[in-house]
Amino acid sequence: MHTPGKTTFLNDVHKSHKCTYIRQYHNLRPYIAVSAIPNFDPTKLPYWDIYIKENKSKTIIVGGTIAGQFMAGLSGGQRKLLLFELIVQRTASQDNLLIVLDEPFAGVTDDFVPFIVGRLNEMRKNHNILLVTNDHVETLKKMADNTVTVSAIDRSTVKINGKMGVDRGMALLAMSIGDEYQHSTNNKDL
């Protein structure tokens, strides 16, 4: 997806379906040591070797701002990758989830794009992935099964795979079901 109006669409997807929704500016508790996050293996992070070499792997905290107070720790891009990897690890043993990612590349250096794309491809094997981005659009279009364009002007319809005027409600339903979705007629079609 690549247009204004996407946040409203994603919020509606989240309200309509049981899903994992990672917002563009999702926050973690900044004072927690990364190594203390339950059910998480930080060694899977592409930058974790740096903290092992610096003997900081047990003490580095998530970092960020809480109650107006900045706490030094991971960079913003590293926090984004941490959250992304946390979702990958926590959903690995499940199937057919709807996982919604808003701007997974925001704040992440180009060095880590191949890591994210690789993890997305792994997740696609077991889950329906809905992601929104203004960054690296062509990279994602190559791996996308479908593309949805949401207009900030007309929110009653969307464009799916180039087809204009698709009912927004139908698109929201199709998001959760994925390839299994089949539209059948009902009284609304009369």
Side-chain angles (χ1 to χ4, degrees):
M1 292 165 76
H2 172 71
T3 59
K6 65 181 177 66
T7 302
T8 302
F9 186 78
L10 291 177
N11 284 333
D12 288 346
V13 168
H14 184 243
K15 288 178 203 170
S16 302
H17 306 293
K18 185 176 180 179
C19 67
T20 300
Y21 178 23
I22 304 302
R23 289 170 175 81
Q24 180 175 355
Y25 299 109
H26 210 95
N27 289 319
L28 298 167
R29 293 184 180 118
Y31 51 83
I32 295 176
V34 175
S35 62
I37 297 173
N39 304 315
F40 180 67
D41 179 3
T43 64
K44 303 290 184 193
L45 293 165
Y47 55 80
W48 198 249
D49 287 348
I50 294 167
Y51 295 112
I52 291 171
K53 288 176 188 170
E54 294 175 353
N55 287 328
K56 294 181 180 178
S57 64
K58 299 288 185 210
T59 59
I60 188 76
I61 62 172
V62 171
T65 304
I66 186 168
Q69 183 68 34
F70 177 75
M71 302 181 80
L74 299 179
S75 71
Q78 288 174 329
R79 283 193 300 274
K80 184 80 160 202
L81 283 173
L82 170 98
L83 185 59
F84 182 73
E85 181 61 26
L86 183 65
I87 297 305
V88 169
Q89 290 182 27
R90 297 246 175 114
T91 61
S93 64
Q94 301 173 57
D95 286 324
N96 296 318
L97 297 175
L98 174 60
I99 300 172
V100 180
L101 303 168
D102 187 4
E103 299 289 353
F105 297 114
V108 176
T109 66
D110 288 348
D111 294 340
F112 294 128
V113 170
F115 173 80
I116 293 173
V117 170
R119 296 309 248 163
L120 284 170
N121 278 320
E122 287 177 35
M123 292 170 68
R124 288 178 61 212
K125 294 175 186 174
N126 296 326
H127 306 294
N128 291 317
I129 307 295
L130 172 61
L131 59 90
V132 174
T133 190
N134 291 317
D135 300 316
H136 303 284
V137 173
E138 292 308 313
T139 299
L140 294 174
K141 278 185 178 180
K142 290 176 187 171
M143 66 181 279
D145 294 323
N146 299 288
T147 59
V148 178
T149 304
V150 180
S151 170
I153 297 169
D154 177 10
R155 295 186 179 178
S156 65
T157 63
V158 296
K159 179 170 74 171
I160 299 178
N161 299 332
K163 183 179 178 185
M164 302 289 291
V166 177
D167 178 74
R168 187 175 188 274
M170 188 184 312
L172 287 169
L173 179 60
M175 292 297 153
S176 67
I177 300 172
D179 291 339
E180 303 300 315
Y181 179 74
Q182 293 181 358
H183 178 67
S184 59
T185 58
N186 61 35
N187 289 341
K188 283 187 170 183
D189 294 318
L190 298 177

